[in-house]
Amino acid sequence: MIDELNEHEAKERKRRVSQLSLELLGPVVGKMPKSSIESLEKASYLPNVERHLVEIIPLTDARIVKHEVEAKLPPFIRTEAVFGKRNLYLLRDAVVSPYSGMAWIGNRIMEESVGSLRRIMDWGDILHEPLLPVQELTLQEPVVVCHPATYFHWLFEVLPNILFALARFPEIKIVLPEKCPDYVREGLAVAVGAEPGDRFITCSGPVRVKTLVMPQYHNKPEFTNPEVLGVLRSELKGKLLQESSPARNPGPEKLYISRRRSRRRRLGGEELLEERLRERGFSVVHCEELSFREQIRLFDGAKTVVSTHGAGLSNLVWSEAPCRVIEIFPKNYILDCFAWLSFSLGFDYRYVICRTGHQIDEGAMDAVLDML
């Protein structure tokens, strides 16, 4: 009897371990966790989801955008994109992470809060944020999370969604993590005009809120909706330039965005290229050393922008046509997000691909100079 009982206990223990692994570590053990990502709209018929959903607020309609470009481009430089509809979701009694913006109800992660499962997996540990301790945030006002991201994704995804939420809920409180890049707080200060103690709330982990405004994110962030560009230019650039003196000095018209002080995706040979561009009247800038306001003012006057592929090119959104953009790619890393941005703004976009991997070779330098 003792042996049979031990065997039974062993089987029961194995079953529980398997169940717990599936519940918490789905991707690690080769299966989906039960707290898997799911569309809020798709699951809205379920009673335990429906009771949390207060309202779906439409913001923009679905649309296809196609740019007519004179130059003949290869397939990896795309000129057409499909944009799904964009909504705000008003939820009651929901949990959200200030580090990723991921929201969940019970053990269901809301797809609209992150865009797609692929993006969750790419971003590292956020899939398991539902396992962290949850803090109760007792606020009567609605809450939206402004989570940090790299400059490109924050500027073109997170910040516009905050602006959409502010337009619909002027009294909304903005939740931030304890640590976030300077451009997050600086950008919010320009957009909101509030000091941290007034509008912003800092949290150390996931929070449960009475009323959550959950913006919708999409699964193709490399394409920026022209409507988003319009919001950024009017709500941020417009406000900032109005604050400036009417007699403000225009910035340099020729810019080279250097990545020599960046930790990622640096290209060798930039020193020589910078020297040759300075001879052509270019100013060399390091965007990571500039404040958010300084970047807007600097790029407002740019007429020619040369750069290796990097987040500094996001600041093209502050420039005005006519503007020529020359982007330098390493041999094995090409992403057309800034080509799309240039097309959307009516800029003259050109590119150069280095032949020697992560080195700006002589041929690439000559090609850049020939395009000026």
Side-chain angles (χ1 to χ4, degrees), residues 6 29 71 121 141 151 164 189 205 221 238 256 262 317-318 320 325 332:
N6 288 341
V29 297
M121 300 299 288
E141 300 92 343
Y151 187 70
F164 284 129
Y256 175 71
S262 175
V317 68
W318 316 126
E320 300 289 342
V325 179
N332 297 318

Side-chain angles (χ1 to χ4, degrees), residues 150-181:
T150 57
Y151 187 70
F152 174 86
H153 293 289
W154 185 81
L155 182 61
F156 293 122
E157 295 186 275
V158 182
L159 183 55
N161 274 340
I162 298 300
L163 294 173
F164 284 129
L166 281 166
R168 182 62 175 79
F169 301 95
E171 76 282 13
I172 201 167
K173 297 292 185 180
I174 301 173
V175 171
L176 297 166
E178 290 182 331
K179 295 182 180 180
C180 56

Side-chain angles (χ1 to χ4, degrees), residues 305-366:
V305 179
V306 179
S307 177
T308 58
H309 178 79
L313 280 168
S314 305
N315 290 303
L316 289 171
V317 68
W318 316 126
S319 302
E320 300 289 342
C323 181
R324 174 167 294 181
V325 179
I326 303 173
E327 184 174 11
I328 305 168
F329 290 108
K331 182 178 181 181
N332 297 318
Y333 187 90
I334 298 175
L335 185 60
D336 58 346
C337 53
F338 300 117
W340 177 267
L341 177 60
S342 299
F343 300 150
S344 299
L345 296 168
F347 296 167
D348 175 15
Y349 175 83
R350 310 193 179 189
Y351 69 92
V352 172
I353 302 175
C354 298
R355 295 195 298 262
T356 55
H358 291 271
Q359 178 77 24
I360 304 177
D361 55 89
E362 194 70 26
M365 290 191 200
D366 290 341

Side-chain angles (χ1 to χ4, degrees), residues 1-11:
M1 175 66 68
I2 294 178
D3 291 339
E4 291 180 1
L5 183 60
N6 288 341
E7 182 180 356
H8 173 75
E9 288 181 343
K11 289 182 178 179

Side-chain angles (χ1 to χ4, degrees), residues 258-264 266 270 286 288-289:
S258 176
R259 288 188 64 84
R260 283 203 290 137
R261 298 175 188 174
S262 175
R263 296 179 180 179
R264 299 177 62 245
R266 289 180 294 182
E270 274 197 274
H286 300 269
E288 63 269 29
E289 297 179 354

